[in-house]
Amino acid sequence: MTKKFIILISGLFLGGALSGQEVWAQGESKSIKFSGVVVGGKQAEILPGAHIFIANAGRGTATSNNGYFSMPVLPGDSLVFSYTGYKRQYFVIPRDFREASLSAKIELREDAVTLREVKIYPFRNFDEFKKEFLSMTLPDAREREALARNTDPDYIRKMAIQQGDGINTGFRMSQDQIQNYNTNKGFANTIPFFNPFAWASFIKSVKDGKLKDNSWKELYKDTPTLNTNRDSYIRQQRGN
């Protein structure tokens, strides 16, 4: 009698423990390895970098270069597959799925938007285009104008007249003045006003009409005045 009672009590405790273990196993959410490939379009092209998001878990992943993906999920998870230019695709893990892994091929459909053809014409006709093209200013127009002006022979001649003498010319003139002083320092200065030969030459010039000859002015026509500068001289020549 005593042995039967002990066996009965042991059976009750063991059965209760097994029943509790079975209930705990049924309530546990087992992780599933979900893997597959994502393709899209009519040609089922591989879609690398496609985004996979689990809304209820707030996490996700992306496909590799060959469109493959692998991630842990739970029964009942809802996954969203998205890719630029394709419609979103939803996939739900079955709640009664009890396997350790699950594989699937996810196909996305193209999300094409057809737009009406739009033709853009900047000009109403070819004549307007030709007119605008001929009047177009080139990017280096100012540089071309400056180059043509600076290489013009008349411009170079005018700048040479205005430039004046250089250092070498001034030195040579000073040396000539010193030499003339040393040569004539022992002689008395003569005044042409009292020189009869100078008067004879002057009278002859008057008779020949040389005083009315103004051809010498042509030599100084392009020479700028002493109280002017380069800019004012150029504006004067241009008539500004």
Side-chain angles (χ1 to χ4, degrees):
M1 181 67 182
T2 304
K3 292 183 179 179
K4 293 181 179 180
F5 179 76
I6 294 173
I7 294 173
L8 180 60
I9 296 300
S10 300
L12 292 175
F13 278 103
L14 180 61
L18 292 176
S19 300
Q21 184 178 3
E22 182 180 357
V23 172
W24 176 82
Q26 291 179 356
E28 180 184 5
S29 296
K30 186 177 180 181
S31 176
I32 304 171
K33 181 182 179 182
F34 182 45
S35 61
V37 63
V38 179
V39 298
K42 296 180 180 180
Q43 304 297 330
E45 298 179 357
I46 298 297
L47 300 180
H51 188 249
I52 307 168
F53 183 70
I54 304 177
N56 56 347
R59 57 186 176 87
T61 185
T63 58
S64 61
N65 293 334
N66 55 6
Y68 175 81
F69 69 92
S70 178
M71 60 186 305
V73 296
L74 296 175
D77 282 347
S78 177
L79 290 81
V80 182
F81 294 82
S82 60
Y83 194 82
T84 304
Y86 293 85
K87 294 182 179 180
R88 290 184 176 184
Q89 181 72 22
Y90 297 89
F91 187 89
V92 179
I93 305 297
R95 292 185 177 275
D96 57 351
F97 192 82
R98 293 293 179 265
E99 302 294 333
S101 62
L102 174 64
S103 298
K105 180 181 179 181
I106 308 300
E107 298 182 1
L108 302 184
R109 292 181 297 175
E110 295 181 354
D111 188 12
V113 179
T114 305
L115 300 178
R116 296 179 57 187
E117 181 181 4
V118 179
K119 296 181 179 181
I120 302 175
Y121 298 97
F123 305 100
R124 291 181 297 181
N125 49 50
F126 179 76
D127 293 335
E128 289 187 1
F129 167 75
K130 182 178 179 181
K131 181 179 179 180
E132 293 294 332
F133 181 79
L134 295 177
S135 61
M136 182 176 60
T137 302
L138 298 178
D140 59 344
R142 297 182 58 184
E143 288 77 4
R144 291 176 178 270
E145 293 178 359
L147 178 62
R149 181 177 65 254
N150 294 334
T151 56
D152 183 62
D154 294 337
Y155 181 80
I156 296 176
R157 178 173 57 84
K158 293 176 182 179
M159 292 298 101
I161 294 174
Q162 184 181 3
Q163 186 66 28
D165 299 329
I167 299 176
N168 296 331
T169 303
F171 176 76
R172 185 168 58 251
M173 292 179 61
S174 64
Q175 294 300 315
D176 292 341
Q177 291 177 359
I178 294 174
Q179 182 178 1
N180 291 335
Y181 172 77
N182 293 331
T183 302
N184 300 323
K185 65 180 179 179
F187 297 90
N189 294 330
T190 58
I191 301 176
F193 185 79
F194 299 103
N195 189 352
F197 298 100
W199 276 100
S201 178
F202 175 72
I203 294 172
K204 186 175 182 303
S205 299
V206 175
K207 291 182 179 180
D208 295 340
K210 291 184 179 181
L211 295 180
K212 297 181 180 181
D213 185 12
N214 296 326
S215 59
W216 58 273
K217 294 183 179 180
E218 296 295 331
L219 299 176
Y220 302 95
K221 182 177 180 181
D222 295 332
T223 303
T225 58
L226 296 178
N227 58 349
T228 187
N229 52 28
R230 180 176 180 273
D231 296 335
S232 60
Y233 174 73
I234 294 175
R235 288 195 298 267
Q236 181 181 2
Q237 294 298 322
R238 292 180 178 177
N240 295 335

